[in-house]
């Protein structure tokens, strides 16, 4: 049975770039956009064109450059925003305008000092205006995570009637629990007339560390687009991480969902974005962190050396990492030491290994990590006569 496709909407260049200190110039954005297109994302949110002349230029250049993905520009439900975004994306092969407005009680009261009916009217007018420029219009109900489901359904129904092709249901503050976010998608699927004419989209923030879990709950309950960023960067605690959702869907074939992403490019793309943005990837980051395929405890190392699958659920090559690494620390056992010693040319017998291991522990208690140079020194200082074979 063929799998249902989940569209990947990458917002590294818009929500991701909102990280303080991560500002990119147009040339850097073009390089990243081209890489995202190769990676296989379906939509690139290139920026917020009204926000600055620089952002307008970047969106416009990306629109000209990108071959396959849809290129999207963000707007508020404001006439000028929509006109400027339409101008910025006009050369895209597949242009999309992403417009929207806050729908939660708090946004309506404090941001807009308005009413539900007036907000709904602004939403409809924004979609109708965007529709004059492009066929593909995505509507976001900002803070949908904290928006009452019944009102949210009314807004969704009205904007679909006005022509919205995609409905973005952002958990803007990262507040929802996965069950709650999933139930919201299910509610919309079941209660919005015309919902089959539009794609439901997950846009989750990571304030409670639930962005990925919420996005997966969303697609399990009928959403077919996930908005995410490389390395999960974005406002505050960040957005859903692209590499995580892609690999979750891939590693769980029973979900019967997949994406168009070439997963072998995930690691190099993560590195590239990290370098361009000057934003290091945390070592324990799932999928792309430097420790994601590193094993350091003796029990794990022994298992991985016997069979990788004992402690790895992903083949590192599937995400573009050459191989798993066996890290030597004071917690490592003989199996790991023998393995690493063999890699640098020493075939140790059992007796030799016992001797060398004692010296190794002395070194390892002094140093955090033992490298290849240290192994030579350890072998030389041990009371064994062993020849290097390579
Ligand atoms: O988090 C959010 O609600 C957003 C919207 C502007 C789509 O980024
Ligand atoms: Zn966001």
């Amino acid at each position: 049975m063929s799998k249902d496709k989940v569209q990947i909407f990458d917002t590294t260049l818009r929500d991701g770039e909102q990280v303080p200190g991560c500002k990119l110039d147009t040339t850097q954005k073009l390089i990243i956009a081209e890489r995202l297109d190769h990676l296989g994302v379906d939509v690139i949110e290139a920026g917020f064109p009204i926000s600055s002349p620089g952002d307008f230029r970047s969106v416009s250049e990306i629109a000209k450059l990108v071959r396959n993905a849809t290129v999207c520009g963000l707007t508020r439900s404001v006439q000028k925003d929509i006109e400027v975004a339409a101008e910025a994306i006009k050369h895209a092969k597949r242009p999309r305008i992403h417009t929207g407005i806050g729908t939660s009680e708090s946004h309506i009261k404090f941001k807009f000092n308005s009413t539900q009916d007036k907000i709904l009217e602004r939403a409809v007018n924004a979609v109708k205006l965007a529709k004059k420029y492009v066929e593909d219009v995505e509507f976001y109900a900002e803070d949908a995570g904290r928006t009452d489901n019944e009102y949210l359904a009314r807004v969704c129904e009205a904007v679909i009637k006005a022509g919205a092709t995609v409905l973005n249901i952002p958990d803007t503050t990262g507040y929802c629990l996965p069950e709650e976010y999933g139930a919201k998608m299910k509610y919309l699927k079941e209660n919005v007339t015309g919902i089959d004419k539009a794609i439901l989209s997950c846009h989750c923030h990571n304030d409670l560390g639930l962005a990925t879990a919420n996005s997966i709950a969303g697609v399990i309950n009928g959403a077919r687009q996930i908005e995410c960023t490389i390395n999960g960067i974005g406002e505050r605690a960040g957005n859903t991480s692209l590499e995580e959702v892609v690999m979750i869907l891939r590693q769980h074939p029973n979900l019967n969902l997949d994406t168009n992403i070439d997963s072998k490019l995930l690691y190099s793309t993560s590195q590239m974005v990290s370098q361009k943005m000057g934003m290091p990837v945390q070592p324990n980051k799932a999928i792309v962190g430097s420790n994601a395929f590193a094993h350091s405890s003796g029990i794990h190392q022994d298992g991985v050396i016997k069979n990788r699958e004992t402690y790895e659920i992903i083949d590192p090559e599937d995400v573009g990492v050459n191989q798993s690494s066996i890290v030597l620390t004071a917690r490592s056992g003989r199996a790991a030491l023998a393995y690493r010693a063999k890699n640098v040319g020493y075939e140790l017998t059992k007796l030799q290994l016992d001797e060398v291991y004692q010296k190794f522990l002395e070194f390892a208690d002094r140093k955090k990590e033992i490298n290849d140079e240290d192994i030579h020194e350890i072998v030389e200082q041990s009371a064994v006569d062993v020849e290097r074979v390579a």
Side-chain angles (χ1 to χ4, degrees):
M1 195 163 87
S2 82
K3 294 189 175 176
D4 245 16
K5 275 281 151 66
V6 172
Q7 308 272 299
I8 292 293
F9 175 116
D10 181 279
T11 183
T12 305
L13 298 175
R14 201 277 298 169
D15 227 339
E17 210 231 6
Q18 289 174 210
V19 175
C22 283
K23 182 100 195 64
L24 300 168
D25 61 31
T26 300
T27 313
Q28 291 169 317
K29 285 190 184 180
L30 284 167
I31 295 169
I32 293 179
E34 197 164 35
R35 165 47 76 111
L36 293 171
D37 204 22
H38 280 142
L39 182 65
V41 309
D42 302 280
V43 185
I44 296 173
E45 185 161 54
F48 183 15
I50 191 89
S51 66
S52 73
D55 220 35
F56 178 91
R57 197 176 334 110
S58 298
V59 175
S60 172
E61 293 302 317
I62 291 170
K64 288 177 201 154
L65 175 84
V66 167
R67 305 256 129 256
N68 306 306
T70 293
V71 175
C72 169
L74 183 79
T75 83
R76 294 165 296 181
S77 285
V78 171
Q79 181 178 344
K80 188 77 185 151
D81 282 30
I82 295 168
E83 289 165 358
V84 170
E87 180 64 24
I89 57 168
K90 72 178 181 201
H91 293 298
K93 265 176 108 181
R94 296 183 183 82
R96 176 183 294 180
I97 291 178
H98 187 193
T99 190
I101 194 160
T103 52
S104 65
E105 214 182 300
S106 133
H107 278 225
I108 294 176
K109 191 164 154 198
F110 300 118
K111 260 176 75 173
F112 302 113
N113 187 23
S114 187
T115 63
Q116 286 191 339
D117 287 346
K118 284 188 186 144
I119 292 295
L120 190 142
E121 195 184 329
R122 275 186 69 178
V124 166
N125 288 341
V127 171
K128 282 187 178 157
L129 178 60
K131 219 45 199 181
K132 291 195 174 144
Y133 297 100
V134 289
E135 174 45 38
D136 192 4
V137 175
E138 173 166 342
F139 176 80
Y140 65 86
E142 196 179 9
D143 204 14
R146 293 187 300 170
T147 300
D148 161 63
N149 282 350
E150 190 271 329
Y151 175 61
L152 186 60
R154 268 206 289 141
V155 174
C156 289
E157 200 163 304
V159 295
I160 291 174
K161 262 200 204 126
T165 46
V166 182
L167 296 177
N168 179 8
I169 310 300
D171 183 21
T172 306
T173 58
Y175 177 74
C176 287
L177 294 171
E179 290 76 9
E180 206 181 343
Y181 191 73
K184 200 173 269 290
M185 288 297 182
K186 190 165 187 283
Y187 181 90
L188 296 174
K189 269 270 176 210
E190 289 171 356
N191 291 281
V192 173
T193 308
I195 194 72
D196 294 338
K197 293 195 201 117
I199 295 173
L200 276 168
S201 180
C202 311
H203 179 114
C204 299
H205 280 266
N206 207 30
D207 300 67
L208 292 172
L210 290 171
T212 295
N214 283 342
S215 300
I216 296 299
V219 293
I220 287 174
N221 284 282
R224 285 295 174 269
Q225 179 176 277
I226 294 179
E227 310 199 0
C228 46
T229 60
I230 301 293
N231 300 331
I233 57 169
E235 283 270 352
R236 307 181 309 279
N239 287 60
T240 302
S241 145
L242 181 147
E243 51 281 357
E244 290 173 16
V245 289
V246 166
M247 291 315 290
I248 289 170
L249 298 184
R250 212 129 299 163
Q251 299 307 112
H252 285 275
N254 57 321
L255 293 178
N256 224 24
L257 297 169
D258 202 4
T259 68
N260 291 319
I261 297 296
D262 176 355
S263 67
K264 287 194 167 24
L265 296 179
L266 286 175
Y267 180 70
S268 53
T269 307
S270 154
Q271 289 291 303
M272 176 211 243
V273 168
S274 161
Q275 278 158 16
K276 297 251 174 292
M277 288 198 161
M279 178 100 174
V281 180
Q282 71 193 61
N284 58 325
K285 170 79 183 63
I287 321 291
V288 290
S290 55
N291 288 347
F293 299 100
H295 305 274
S296 85
S297 94
I299 297 172
H300 291 209
Q301 291 174 330
D302 183 48
V304 170
I305 290 167
K306 287 175 177 148
N307 185 327
R308 195 189 56 73
E309 286 179 15
T310 51
Y311 287 96
E312 275 182 1
I313 56 155
I314 298 172
D315 183 340
E317 285 186 11
D318 287 350
V319 297
V321 173
N322 280 348
Q323 57 178 3
S324 329
S325 54
I326 299 291
V327 183
L328 289 180
T329 69
R331 305 289 151 260
S332 301
R334 285 173 175 71
L337 178 60
Y339 173 86
R340 285 280 303 273
K342 190 174 176 191
N343 282 355
V344 293
Y346 301 106
E347 287 271 14
L348 300 172
T349 64
K350 188 169 174 320
L351 282 177
Q352 287 169 333
L353 180 60
D354 284 344
E355 277 301 324
V356 175
Y357 187 64
Q358 295 316 314
K359 187 57 73 186
F360 161 77
L361 288 179
E362 283 171 32
F363 268 65
D365 270 339
R366 274 185 271 126
K367 267 192 100 187
K368 281 196 175 117
E369 198 180 318
I370 300 296
N371 59 32
D372 289 352
E373 283 308 303
D374 298 327
I375 296 176
H376 295 305
E377 221 179 309
I378 291 168
V379 173
E380 274 161 30
Q381 288 187 24
S382 305
V384 291
D385 189 16
V386 50
E387 252 179 54
R388 273 184 79 178
V389 290

